[in-house]
């Protein structure tokens, strides 16, 4: 049977992946196909701008030195709906954890997810902000904000298809939008 809200929040990542696989069979991908394409483009734009301003290079170097900041606790921000969204975008889930003490979704080439939690999309450490400067940081946040908004929209559409799930919860910590985005969505 389906789990209660508390059980869901305590669910191990492997269980969330199993549950997401079951949920996938309840979804008609055609109903979210166009939104997923828009979201995928927005995600690519975020990555492209990060590359342009040197964030990827900074993180790559840092990961080689420190093992990355993708710690294990962050994986709990990735709930089953987010896993479903990634699966719908063709992301293959890992069979096992790549590195002990680190996020389940981390691979030797970085994060395997296309749709990532807000904390991962928004997080810029001091090393990055000091290097890229305020203007680039501001522009990156604007671009990433679009990715988060579209992710929120797709998530809501998927939840509508999963009525049983929708009864259990209608939002998730994985999709906390910045306040300006929430205002924008409610006014559209
Ligand atoms: S965000 Fe900062 S701490 Fe994390 S990998 Fe990139 S440079 Fe390192
Ligand atoms: S960016 Fe990906 S691998 Fe890193 S903490 Fe976030 S979900 Fe995990």
């Amino acid at each position: 049977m389906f789990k209660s809200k508390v059980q869901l929040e305590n669910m191990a990542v492997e269980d969330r992946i199993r549950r997401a696989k079951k949920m996938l069979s309840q979804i008609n991908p055609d109903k979210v196909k166009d939104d997923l394409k828009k979201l995928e483009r927005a995600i690519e734009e975020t990555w492209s701008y990060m590359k342009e301003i040197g964030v990827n290079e900074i993180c790559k170097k840092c990961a080689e030195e420190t093992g990355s900041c993708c710690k294990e606790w962050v994986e709990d921000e990735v709930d089953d709906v987010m896993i479903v969204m990634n699966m719908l975008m063709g992301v293959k889930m890992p069979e096992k954890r790549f590195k002990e003490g680190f996020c389940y979704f981390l691979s030797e080439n970085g994060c395997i997810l296309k749709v990532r939690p807000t904390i991962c999309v928004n997080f810029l450490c001091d090393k990055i902000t000091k290097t890229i400067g305020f203007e680039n940081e501001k522009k990156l946040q604007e671009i990433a904000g679009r990715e988060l908004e579209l992710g929120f929209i797709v998530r809501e559409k998927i939840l509508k298809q999963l009525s049983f799930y929708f009864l259990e919860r209608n939002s998730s910590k994985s999709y906390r939008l910045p306040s300006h985005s929430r205002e924008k969505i409610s006014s559209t």
Side-chain angles (χ1 to χ4, degrees):
M1 251 338 262
F2 296 113
K3 312 262 187 225
S4 73
K5 190 175 174 194
V6 173
Q7 283 174 311
L8 280 167
E9 283 174 355
N10 294 331
M11 208 184 261
V13 64
E14 293 88 348
D15 293 330
R16 293 200 295 274
I17 292 172
R18 270 192 286 277
R19 182 173 151 94
K21 284 179 182 163
K22 283 186 198 153
M23 287 159 78
L24 200 60
S25 63
Q26 313 275 324
I27 291 168
N28 178 354
D30 287 342
K31 286 190 178 171
V32 280
K33 197 173 65 187
D34 294 341
D35 293 297
L36 280 172
K37 272 192 200 145
K38 281 188 210 159
L39 175 57
E40 196 147 12
R41 276 199 296 274
I43 292 169
E44 278 162 16
E45 277 166 28
T46 309
W47 281 110
S48 160
Y49 191 67
M50 279 167 62
K51 197 171 169 200
E52 189 186 320
I53 60 176
V55 175
N56 294 9
E57 209 41 52
I58 300 167
C59 286
K60 191 167 170 263
K61 196 164 172 281
C62 172
E64 282 162 10
E65 289 163 7
T66 67
S68 136
C69 61
C70 295
K71 301 298 180 202
E72 189 168 354
W73 64 267
V74 190
E75 72 195 26
D76 287 336
E77 293 289 316
V78 182
D79 75 350
D80 36 18
V81 182
M82 188 173 285
I83 295 169
V84 167
M85 288 164 78
N86 278 284
M87 285 172 165
L88 286 168
M89 284 181 164
V91 176
K92 202 171 167 295
M93 290 299 137
E95 297 287 328
K96 59 183 176 62
R97 189 178 300 281
F98 165 64
K99 216 192 299 184
E100 270 322 301
F102 288 84
C103 175
Y104 190 85
F105 302 99
L106 183 68
S107 74
E108 59 179 333
N109 300 316
C111 182
I112 60 126
L113 300 179
K114 287 189 180 177
V115 185
R116 292 174 300 148
T118 303
I119 188 173
C120 302
V121 178
N122 275 341
F123 179 69
L124 294 172
C125 70
D126 287 352
K127 215 181 284 185
I128 293 175
T129 52
K130 278 182 192 147
T131 313
I132 65 174
F134 180 67
E135 285 307 315
N136 283 334
E137 183 186 341
K138 211 170 113 202
K139 191 164 172 201
L140 176 57
Q141 275 173 354
E142 275 167 30
I143 295 171
R146 183 71 187 140
E147 170 185 335
L148 292 172
E149 281 175 31
L150 286 167
F152 180 81
I153 291 165
V154 175
R155 178 186 183 83
E156 289 300 303
K157 290 191 176 178
I158 288 174
L159 282 170
K160 270 188 195 146
Q161 289 195 49
L162 298 167
S163 50
F164 65 90
Y165 188 83
F166 200 62
L167 290 173
E168 287 170 345
R169 56 178 177 181
N170 57 10
S171 67
S172 162
K173 59 181 182 173
S174 302
Y175 257 95
R176 282 183 298 240
L177 281 171
S179 52
H180 70 275
S181 304
R182 282 200 297 270
E183 280 158 21
K184 236 162 131 185
I185 286 170
S186 57
S187 62
T188 50

